[in-house]
Structure formats: structure tokens, C-alpha cells
Amino acid sequence: MESKLLTLVVECSLKIGNPLQIHLPMPVIPNILFKSVFIRSLLLITEFAENEKITLDGAKSVDILLARDTRPSGVSLLEAARHGISSIIGAVALDMGILTTPTLHWMVRARNKGVNASEFDYFDQLSSSFRCLVDLMPSGSNPRNESDTLVVDGANGVGGEKLDILKKICNGLVIDIRNSGKEGGVLNEGVGADYVQKEKVAPSGFGPEDVGKRCCSLDGDADRLVYFIVPSTSSSKIELVDGDKILSLFAVFIKEQLSILNKERDVNVNDGYQCCLGIVQTAYANGASTNYLKQLGLEVVFTPTGVKYLHEKAEQYDIGIYFEANGHGTILFSEQFLDWLEAKIADLSDVAKGSEPHKAAMRLLAVTKLINQAVGDALGGMLLVEAILQHMGWSIEKWNALYQDLPSRQLKVKVADRTAVVTANAETVVAKPPGIQEAIDAETAKYPGGRCFIRPSGTEDVIRVYAEASTENAADSLASSVAKVVGQKLGSGTS
């Protein structure tokens, strides 16, 4: 039975294109704990298999791709995973070496699609797609020169090491790598996308010489990306260009290319296909970004917090773009859209090669290959940002000026039982207990441009409060007043 469970985990993991993670050999888990975890896991996996229509007859052998990061502990963890996999009949562990997490996800997806899936293939696809976008820049765009350098914080992680490869193969992009890990820094300590996004200060290794430069930070395993500007020599504070702004940049570019294609269709026979572009956010997305995207005429929908919800919703569109403010996100393209796009490129190559519609179609095809459709990928995302900025002829300042973020504040309120709060409408409304949502609405109405919601934490007995308003003082005041409401209604803790 235990072997059956592990086989189910292996097959389900391969089906969804995510690498299987086995951290310890099964014999070290106490029997009682194992049985409890085993039963819950079996129920979840069986439900997942039924939903995804996965055949679980055990007749098919599977390859399990393993990789590690640059930390010394990776060697022993990988060996433990290999030991666990060797106990599964028909499962073969393949050591792919030192990789970023998104690269491993990309490899699993590529192998399941029957295409070449080495690290060389990954970087070759990134560089060739980036080069294609640069070559297809409009005639009025200005290519980057040697003095226009992108300064990248590698978070002292595996992404910093892999940036060296990109630096060598990506013509048209000058990269200055900081915090690569070679200097002996600690992973994510005072560096990385999470630190920069939360603290809104420059990472270690950045200083007055970087004022006005285009800068970005990866996180430790290179699945998150944020950009920033160091505005002054007198302060470590930065102007953050977060995941919401990255999403907006991608949405503007894709909408533009689709519009060019639609103009071509207006003067030719309509092929009957209408691409559905959707933007997926959580309630934590800054309200200014949501308003901006809606003003562009784009469909914006919300999901509960968590990449799994965002990814699942984005799959429902021909083109689904999702990002969290922390810089984790990607773009998904449906098989129907890809088939239509390739057919469109073939048609245009015959009758209008080199035309604007043909170039727009080629750009979209390059985006589908540059972006990692398995998971958020800081390396591919960074190259797409750089290609679009060159295409638009935009500086980072002009990009950052697409809209002005509304001031926001987040608080935590300790409570005896966080499960007492049940939310609805993608966590934007409190369904239970009664009375709380009405109290939140009453407080929010006191502040111009106010928006506030609460949700139970998934990991600790606290209720999280998020508030936005037209000024910082108003956002702080709204968050505090709602935190007080939560404490009063749910039996207080502290905020």
C-alpha cells in the first residue's frame, strides 16, 4: 500500500509538470504519523487523479528529475531523495545537477511534451526567443547601448550563478551581476526579491553609484522578480517596481500585439477565432493596478491568495497573465491559441511576410517560448521585461509611471481561532461570523479611495488585515480601525 501511494505521487507529479520532492527516506517517519499523513495524502491524490483523468494502473515506468541549489546541504538532500525513489518499482531518479527551481519545472514540462529538455535547451530557448523579440523591434525603437546596464541582484542563490550563463549568451543586454553567491554572502540575507519587495530598500551590494540605474532582484531559487530604482544617494529607500507593474507591462505589450493582428483580420476574411485575454490577481494586488488594467479594457478577475489558484484560473483563458506583488507569476497560453497563432504565421508568411501583422504574430510566438509556462521564472521574466522596454522605447521611470500605487498597510491580529473567519468572493468579503463585514464596510466608507479586507492566515492563529486609501495616514488609520474591529469581534489578541 505504501508503495502504491508513492507511485501515485510520482504519476500525479509528472502529470502536472511539477518536479516530485522527496525529502527523507520513508523508514525515518514514525509509523503513527506516517499512517495519518498517508491516509490524507491518498485521499487528496486520488481526488486529484480523478479530476485530471490520470490512469493509475502502475503499468507505466516513470523518470523523476532531481536537482539541487548551490547550498552544501543539497548534496545530502538529493541523495535522500534518490534513496526514496529507488524503493518505488518502475521509478528512475535522474540527477539534473545544480538548477534553478523554474528550470527544473521547465524540464519536466518539456519532457512530458516530448521535446529536448536539458539545461542547454532551456537557455538556448531563452536566448533565441529574446533575440527574436529584439530583432522585431519597431524601426523607431532605440537598442540598448553599452552604458545602459541592467544591474541584477542574484540573492546569493542559484539564480546568481545562472545569470553568468545569460550574460554570455544574450546579445543586446548588458548585465552587471551583484550578490551572485561567489562573494560568500548568505542566501536571501539582506538581498533578494522578497527582501527588496517587503523592506523597500536596496539590497546589500547596491549603493550611491547605482542611483538612476535600472535594477532588479531575483529571489534565492529564481522564481520571483522585482525591479527597482535607487533614487537618491542620501537614503537606502528605493522606488519599487513590483509584480503588479510587471503584469501591467506584459498586459500592455500583449494587448498591443493582439490589436495589430485584429486590425489585419478586419480587412480580411474573419477566421472565426476570438482570443480571450484574462488578467488574474489576488485581493493583495494594489487597487491602482487593477483600475489601470480595467481602464485598458482588459478582463480582470480575482482568486484566493496562492499561486495554485492564480495558475488554475489563468488556464481558463487563451492567454492568462497572473502575478503577485511579490514578483511571482507568468503567462499561460492555451493549445488552441498556439495552434491558431502558428497557422496565422504560416498564412501571413505566404501573403504578407514582414508586414506589421506578421511581426506581431512572430512577437507573440517568441513570448510563448521566452516565458516559462510551468511556473514563475525570474530569468525568463527578466528577459521579457527587457525586450518589452526596448520595444516600447521606455525607461524604467516611464514604466513605473504607468500608474501611482495607492498607499497600503498590512497588519496581523492574534485571535484564539482563525478558522472562525470564513471568506467569500476571492477572500474580499467575510461570510462568517455575521456582523464583521458590515463593520469593515462602515470603517472603509470613512476614507476616500478606501479598500479593506481580512483573511485568516494559513499558518498561524492570526487574522491578516489589508487596507488601502488615498494617503498613507488614511491607510494606516483604516488598517488600525479594522484590526480593532477584528479584536473586538473575535476575542482579542494583539495587532
Side-chain angles (χ1 to χ4, degrees):
M1 189 67 173
E2 294 171 8
S3 176
K4 174 79 169 176
L5 171 63
L6 290 173
T7 303
L8 291 175
V9 173
V10 168
E11 292 197 13
C12 291
S13 179
L14 288 176
K15 174 68 177 179
I16 62 175
N18 291 330
L20 174 64
Q21 297 179 10
I22 299 177
H23 298 288
L24 292 171
M26 284 300 175
V28 306
I29 302 178
N31 287 336
I32 294 177
L33 175 60
F34 175 78
K35 288 177 181 177
S36 174
V37 172
F38 170 78
I39 292 170
R40 291 199 302 270
S41 300
L42 182 58
L43 291 172
L44 289 171
I45 292 167
T46 302
E47 179 185 359
F48 176 82
E50 289 175 354
N51 292 339
E52 295 294 322
K53 299 179 175 59
I54 304 172
T55 302
L56 301 174
D57 55 13
K60 196 174 179 180
S61 64
V62 293
D63 292 335
I64 310 298
L65 308 189
L66 301 175
R68 64 181 181 89
D69 63 18
T70 50
R71 287 174 289 185
S73 58
V75 176
S76 58
L77 288 171
L78 190 142
E79 187 56 36
R82 191 202 306 274
H83 181 75
I85 291 167
S86 67
S87 67
I88 307 170
I89 297 174
V92 179
L94 301 177
D95 181 1
M96 309 308 290
I98 296 175
L99 298 175
T100 70
T101 298
T103 304
L104 187 60
H105 281 256
W106 181 92
M107 286 180 174
V108 173
R109 184 174 184 270
R111 285 173 70 97
N112 284 336
K113 288 181 170 292
V115 298
N116 294 334
S118 68
E119 185 181 26
F120 172 84
D121 297 312
Y122 168 79
F123 280 109
D124 182 61
Q125 183 166 308
L126 289 189
S127 62
S128 61
S129 302
F130 174 75
R131 187 70 253 168
C132 180
L133 285 170
V134 172
D135 289 343
L136 289 167
M137 282 195 305
S139 56
S141 300
N142 295 318
R144 301 289 187 200
N145 55 48
E146 288 295 323
S147 64
D148 191 7
T149 301
L150 172 66
V151 188
V152 187
D153 162 31
N156 292 321
V158 63
E161 179 178 290
K162 301 304 180 181
L163 279 167
D164 266 333
I165 301 176
L166 276 186
K167 184 175 181 177
K168 293 171 184 174
I169 64 176
C170 281
N171 297 326
L173 180 61
V174 182
I175 302 175
D176 176 8
I177 305 170
R178 312 273 177 88
N179 305 318
S180 67
K182 296 177 182 178
E183 304 88 353
V186 178
L187 177 72
N188 288 332
E189 187 173 293
V191 295
D194 190 59
Y195 171 80
V196 171
Q197 190 254 337
K198 287 182 177 176
E199 302 299 327
K200 294 182 175 56
V201 296
S204 175
F206 287 70
E209 69 276 10
D210 300 309
V211 170
K213 292 182 180 178
R214 197 172 67 261
C215 306
C216 72
S217 280
L218 320 182
D219 71 333
D221 59 352
D223 67 351
R224 296 184 190 180
L225 171 73
V226 296
Y227 274 68
F228 62 94
I229 308 165
V230 181
S232 169
T233 58
S234 61
S235 171
S236 62
K237 289 292 183 182
I238 60 166
E239 291 182 21
L240 180 68
V241 187
D242 63 7
D244 293 339
K245 286 273 173 72
I246 294 173
L247 184 155
S248 298
L249 181 70
F250 290 175
V252 166
F253 179 75
I254 288 177
K255 182 177 185 291
E256 177 188 88
Q257 305 315 307
L258 290 174
S259 296
I260 294 171
L261 277 176
N262 285 333
K263 286 180 183 177
E264 180 271 337
R265 292 168 66 191
D266 288 342
V267 297
N268 292 284
V269 177
N270 195 306
D271 56 20
Y273 179 74
Q274 192 65 40
C275 173
C276 184
L277 170 61
I279 309 300
V280 188
Q281 296 183 308
T282 72
Y284 283 105
N286 193 276
S289 74
T290 306
N291 293 336
Y292 173 76
L293 293 163
K294 287 182 176 179
Q295 287 168 7
L296 291 177
L298 295 169
E299 179 181 346
V300 183
V301 295
F302 289 89
T303 71
T305 304
V307 169
K308 65 178 181 178
Y309 299 111
L310 290 159
H311 196 97
E312 185 179 72
K313 188 65 179 179
E315 287 181 318
Q316 297 176 15
Y317 294 92
D318 291 312
I319 305 175
I321 312 175
Y322 73 85
F323 264 85
E324 294 180 299
N326 63 20
H328 194 150
T330 191
I331 310 172
L332 304 183
F333 299 88
S334 71
E335 289 299 326
Q336 183 182 13
F337 174 77
L338 292 174
D339 290 343
W340 174 82
L341 183 62
E342 289 177 357
K344 178 60 64 178
I345 290 172
D347 290 344
L348 290 170
S349 295
D350 290 338
V351 299
K353 189 171 184 178
S355 66
E356 285 307 308
H358 180 251
K359 290 178 181 178
M362 292 294 292
R363 291 184 194 113
L364 287 172
L365 184 62
V367 172
T368 70
K369 296 179 179 180
L370 180 54
I371 203 75
N372 190 334
Q373 295 186 61
V375 71
D377 187 337
L379 299 182
M382 181 187 77
L383 291 181
L384 184 53
V385 167
E386 292 301 309
I388 295 173
L389 290 180
Q390 288 194 45
H391 174 92
M392 298 290 195
W394 288 359
S395 65
I396 187 172
E397 290 83 4
K398 184 167 184 178
W399 170 26
N400 194 36
L402 286 179
Y403 58 83
Q404 187 68 41
D405 280 330
L406 288 167
S408 65
R409 174 65 63 194
Q410 296 187 49
L411 296 176
K412 296 191 294 185
V413 182
K414 292 182 180 180
V415 294
D417 180 14
R418 69 180 186 272
T419 63
V421 173
V422 178
T423 61
N425 296 345
E427 300 177 328
T428 60
V429 175
V430 178
K432 294 179 183 179
I436 290 186
Q437 186 57 50
E438 290 77 6
I440 293 173
D441 291 342
E443 292 297 326
T444 303
K446 299 175 183 178
Y447 301 89
R451 182 172 74 95
C452 188
F453 67 91
I454 67 171
R455 57 179 287 270
S457 168
T459 56
E460 51 186 324
D461 272 324
V462 300
I463 299 299
R464 301 187 184 277
V465 179
Y466 178 90
E468 279 179 3
S470 56
T471 67
E472 286 189 15
N473 287 339
D476 291 345
S477 180
L478 175 56
S480 296
S481 61
V482 170
K484 181 182 282 188
V485 167
V486 171
Q488 291 171 346
K489 298 282 187 181
L490 296 177
S492 174
T494 57
S495 63

